[in-house]
């Protein structure tokens, strides 16, 4: 995280490195199983996976904006929003990202892009209507911290490895149905081979799912901390978190479902009232945990620590 004034986080850096190493190891094992048991299909599967990675890595910003119906806006189109981003850039000494708005009433924000030059920070119209400028500054500082920490690019690659494992599983099923079991119903070895490939890929997907969720939760706490220290207003970020979580609970379920695919990148997950899930599978830490951290930071700043 060079050349910015965002607080560094060695814990986040080490977690990103460990996560990428473990995901890579799991992925190599899954691909190795494919090469050993189904060598005739392995190169096809890897070619598809490589193309998918290139597309996701180089065009993740465009793909995410397109999926969220977001569009990049100029300073003339959104002067107040650009003004907030300019203030954060001045505070952090970070290059200015592109600024976008997504036309949806779901109050949220996200950052995407493989590096600072390609970064895009997007807010929804629902968020702009509900937050005051100080709260909005806290949210945008949080999102720009993701870019400064480079965890957006890491999450893009990490999620790809999980998707790849899922694709290999589906590919193995396809081969089994059309290229294996269909022609050699009595060949038990073929069945065992295919089951081994599918099991290895499914395990790889499960492990990648757990690792990316754990990294995602930590990176949200890290971005909260960095934003609070940069702006010097942890209470503003806490207010934004409380308000957004409360407002999301009032959004129609169908709108929330349409946005849930982007939860890993959102400022706060798009789940309504009554939703409960084990923290093991959540992309974000609980609201109470985030508010508790901001309260501690506020106390530290008031003591001049």
């Amino acid at each position: 995280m060079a050349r910015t004034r965002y607080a560094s986080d060695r814990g986040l850096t080490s977690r990103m490195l460990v996560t990428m190493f473990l995901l890579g190891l799991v992925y190599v094992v899954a691909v190795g199983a494919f090469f050993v048991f189904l060598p005739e299909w392995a190169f096809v599967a890897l070619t598809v996976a490589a193309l998918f990675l290139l597309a996701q890595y180089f065009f993740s910003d465009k793909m995410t904006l397109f999926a969220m119906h977001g569009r990049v806006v100029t300073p003339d189109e959104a002067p107040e929003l650009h003004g907030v981003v300019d203030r954060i850039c001045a505070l952090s000494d970070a290059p200015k990202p592109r600024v976008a708005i997504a036309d949806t009433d779901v109050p949220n924000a996200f950052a995407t892009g493989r590096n600072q030059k390609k970064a895009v920070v997007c807010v929804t119209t629902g968020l702009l209507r509900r937050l005051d400028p100080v709260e909005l500054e806290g949210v945008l500082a949080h999102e720009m911290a993701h870019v400064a920490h480079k965890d957006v690019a890491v999450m893009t690659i990490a999620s790809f490895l999980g998707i790849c494992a899922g694709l290999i599983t589906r590919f193995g099923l396809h081969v089994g149905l059309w290229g294996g079991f269909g022609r050699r119903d009595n060949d038990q070895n073929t069945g065992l081979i295919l089951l081994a490939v599918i099991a290895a890929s499914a395990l790889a997907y499960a492990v990648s799912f757990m690792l990316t969720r754990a990294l995602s939760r930590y990176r949200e706490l890290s971005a909260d901390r960095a934003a609070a220290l940069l702006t010097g207003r942890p209470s503003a970020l806490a207010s934004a978190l409380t308000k957004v979580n409360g407002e999301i609970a009032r959004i129609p379920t169908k709108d929330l479902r349409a946005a849930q695919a982007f939860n890993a990148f959102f400022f706060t997950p798009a789940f309504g009232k009554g939703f409960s899930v084990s923290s093991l599978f959540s992309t974000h830490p609980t609201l109470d945990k985030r508010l508790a951290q901001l309260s501690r930071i506020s106390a530290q700043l008031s003591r001049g620590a």
Side-chain angles (χ1 to χ4, degrees):
M1 190 184 60
R3 296 188 296 276
T4 74
R5 295 173 185 165
Y6 274 105
S8 61
D9 192 325
R10 293 182 179 178
L12 177 61
T13 301
S14 63
R15 281 169 171 80
M16 288 193 294
L17 290 173
V18 170
T19 298
M20 292 304 295
F21 172 77
L22 292 176
L23 285 175
L25 183 62
V26 169
Y27 181 63
V28 167
V29 171
V31 172
F34 214 90
F35 266 101
V36 169
F37 296 117
L38 293 171
E40 65 272 21
W41 292 97
F43 286 106
V44 176
L46 285 180
T47 300
V48 172
L51 291 174
F52 191 85
L53 171 61
L54 291 173
Q56 188 173 12
Y57 183 73
F58 287 104
F59 303 107
S60 60
D61 53 339
K62 295 180 177 62
M63 292 165 64
T64 306
L65 282 179
F66 177 79
M68 276 296 296
H69 306 290
R71 67 181 185 90
V72 175
V73 293
T74 65
D76 291 334
E77 293 175 297
E80 293 182 2
L81 178 58
H82 271 270
V84 174
V85 174
D86 287 336
R87 286 197 300 275
I88 297 170
C89 289
L91 284 172
S92 64
D93 198 24
K96 184 176 180 179
R98 287 174 292 160
V99 180
I101 295 177
D103 188 13
T104 172
D105 194 45
V106 178
N108 232 312
F110 62 90
T112 184
R114 65 183 184 271
N115 54 42
Q116 290 185 341
K117 291 182 179 180
K118 296 293 183 179
V120 181
V121 173
C122 182
V123 298
T124 66
T125 52
L127 188 78
L128 292 174
R129 284 197 295 269
R130 291 172 172 88
L131 299 188
D132 63 36
V134 176
E135 292 169 334
L136 181 62
E137 182 180 71
V139 173
L140 289 174
H142 168 103
E143 294 304 326
M144 291 171 65
H146 284 312
V147 177
H149 288 153
K150 301 178 182 177
D151 59 54
V152 175
V154 171
M155 285 299 293
T156 297
I157 297 172
S159 63
F160 157 77
L161 293 174
I163 292 170
C164 243
L167 286 175
I168 290 173
T169 303
R170 293 181 63 182
F171 207 85
L173 286 171
H174 177 79
V175 172
L177 290 173
W178 300 106
F181 297 126
R183 291 196 302 265
R184 291 176 288 181
D185 292 333
N186 296 324
D187 191 346
Q188 293 183 352
N189 289 332
T190 301
L192 291 174
I193 287 171
L194 288 170
L195 286 175
V197 171
I198 293 169
S201 301
L203 179 62
Y205 181 80
V207 172
S208 66
F209 180 88
M210 302 296 286
L211 287 172
T212 53
R213 288 301 188 275
L215 177 60
S216 180
R217 289 191 297 273
Y218 187 88
R219 83 184 191 115
E220 293 302 330
L221 289 173
S222 179
D224 282 348
R225 175 179 174 273
L229 292 174
L230 179 74
T231 62
R233 294 173 175 172
S235 59
L237 183 55
S239 175
L241 271 168
T242 304
K243 187 179 291 186
V244 170
N245 274 269
E247 290 295 323
I248 281 180
R250 299 184 178 93
I251 300 296
T253 303
K254 64 180 181 66
D255 294 333
L256 290 179
R257 285 175 179 167
Q260 283 173 8
F262 303 93
N263 274 345
F265 296 95
F266 275 156
F267 171 63
T268 191
F271 290 129
K273 269 185 180 177
F275 180 85
S276 61
V277 67
S278 169
S279 60
L280 191 63
F281 302 112
S282 176
T283 57
H284 289 63
T286 63
L287 176 61
D288 288 343
K289 191 169 186 177
R290 296 176 77 174
L291 293 179
Q293 176 183 245
L294 291 171
S295 178
R296 291 193 298 271
I297 294 172
S298 183
Q300 291 170 5
L301 291 176
S302 65
R303 295 194 303 266

